[in-house]
Amino acid sequence: DTGVSQDPRHKITKRGQNVTFRCDPISEHNRLYWYRQTLGQGPEFLTYFQNEAQLEKSRLLSDRFSAERPKGSFSTLEIQRTEQGDSAMYLCASSSRLAGGPGSDTGELFFGEGSRLTVL
Amino acid sequence: GENVEQHPSTLSVQEGDSAVIKCTYSDSASNYFPWYKQELGKGPQLIIDIRSNVGEKKDQRIAVTLNKTAKHFSLHITETQPEDSAVYFCAASIRPGTASKLTFGTGTRLQVTL
């Protein structure tokens, strides 16, 4: 399978615990995104990487959240001191930026199947 | 920031009928409007997109229209089939710009009945 892979698919934790999610993007994609989706809502942008550089973070990403993409390949999203309000599906997506410059983007985000977090 | 509203939230049609989902956006600078389909337990998948220099785009049974003046865009599915049943999301972003930072609508649950 050469799509976006996320692990774990489901995580149940107690309030106050730390959790970490991993995302493996499509191998040739240099852009990686994290979105959060709560029940009955559309995905909300959290953060975005181009290669290993984290270029943008949403205000939704509080200081308890940290994302990394150390070698420009896989990414991790860590949530510290989880709260019940963190319960959601965390979606990772990747896209390809063509070599033609900032405007040369294929446009399509390829999403993984998500990591569902339940905080008790 | 951008705000995208989507209607209806649920839509039930009989197999073979057409389905229309409508979205409005707030930021006149938005110029890229994709539509995603999300099946149960899966991530969203792009089904069609349109850029602001085009008023309409069609791909087999799926078409999207864009009215920049009114800041709204619509998804049209003709000859619906049971496998079209899913949640559909519209989205908007500014391109080129910060890559694909999309603002999504709240989704439409489409049910195609036999």
Side-chain angles (χ1 to χ4, degrees):
Chain A
D1 188 334
T2 58
V4 177
S5 177
Q6 293 190 244
D7 183 72
R9 293 290 311 281
H10 303 275
K11 178 71 176 179
I12 300 174
T13 190
K14 293 182 179 179
R15 187 177 54 186
Q17 298 295 305
N18 299 344
V19 296
T20 300
F21 300 116
R22 175 181 169 125
C23 172
D24 287 272
I26 293 172
S27 59
E28 62 269 25
H29 285 184
N30 61 345
R31 290 178 168 169
L32 186 148
Y33 313 79
W34 286 98
Y35 281 77
R36 182 178 72 183
Q37 186 176 25
T38 53
L39 198 62
Q41 299 296 316
E44 297 174 292
F45 172 81
L46 292 179
T47 190
Y48 144 64
F49 291 85
Q50 181 160 302
N51 300 314
E52 66 276 7
Q54 188 174 18
L55 298 186
E56 188 165 352
K57 293 193 291 185
S58 163
R59 59 178 172 76
L60 295 175
L61 214 65
S62 75
D63 56 5
R64 296 184 298 104
F65 289 70
S66 63
E68 295 181 343
R69 194 183 183 197
K71 297 182 180 178
S73 56
F74 73 92
S75 174
T76 57
L77 177 68
E78 181 183 17
I79 309 174
Q80 296 181 325
R81 306 182 302 281
T82 52
E83 301 173 355
Q84 288 184 327
D86 297 331
S87 296
M89 175 77 83
Y90 290 86
L91 292 164
C92 177
S94 67
S95 71
S96 172
R97 178 174 176 275
L98 299 177
S104 300
D105 195 306
T106 63
E108 180 173 359
L109 292 189
F110 291 82
F111 282 89
E113 296 192 333
S115 292
R116 180 169 295 282
L117 173 65
T118 301
V119 181
L120 302 176
Chain B
E2 176 65 278
N3 182 54
V4 177
E5 295 190 353
Q6 183 172 348
H7 301 279
S9 57
T10 60
L11 180 59
S12 182
V13 300
Q14 285 195 324
E15 183 180 7
D17 288 349
S18 295
V20 180
I21 302 170
K22 297 182 179 181
C23 290
T24 60
Y25 61 98
S26 61
D27 191 342
S28 57
S30 290
N31 58 7
Y32 174 66
F33 308 93
W35 285 87
Y36 282 81
K37 176 183 181 182
Q38 187 172 27
E39 297 177 337
L40 194 62
K42 297 188 176 181
Q45 181 178 14
L46 179 73
I47 55 171
I48 195 167
D49 58 11
I50 191 168
R51 299 178 190 271
S52 60
N53 58 346
V54 175
E56 184 174 356
K57 184 176 178 180
K58 189 173 181 180
D59 183 3
Q60 299 182 347
R61 297 186 297 109
I62 295 173
V64 57
T65 59
L66 171 65
N67 183 326
K68 286 173 54 181
T69 303
K71 289 191 281 189
H72 67 69
F73 56 114
S74 300
L75 177 72
H76 303 252
I77 306 174
T78 59
E79 301 172 18
T80 53
Q81 301 168 4
E83 52 265 38
D84 294 330
S85 296
V87 180
Y88 291 81
F89 292 97
C90 61
S93 75
I94 300 169
R95 305 172 65 82
T98 47
S100 299
K101 188 179 80 171
L102 298 172
T103 300
F104 284 85
T106 51
T108 296
R109 182 173 299 278
L110 174 64
Q111 180 71 44
V112 179
T113 58
L114 297 173

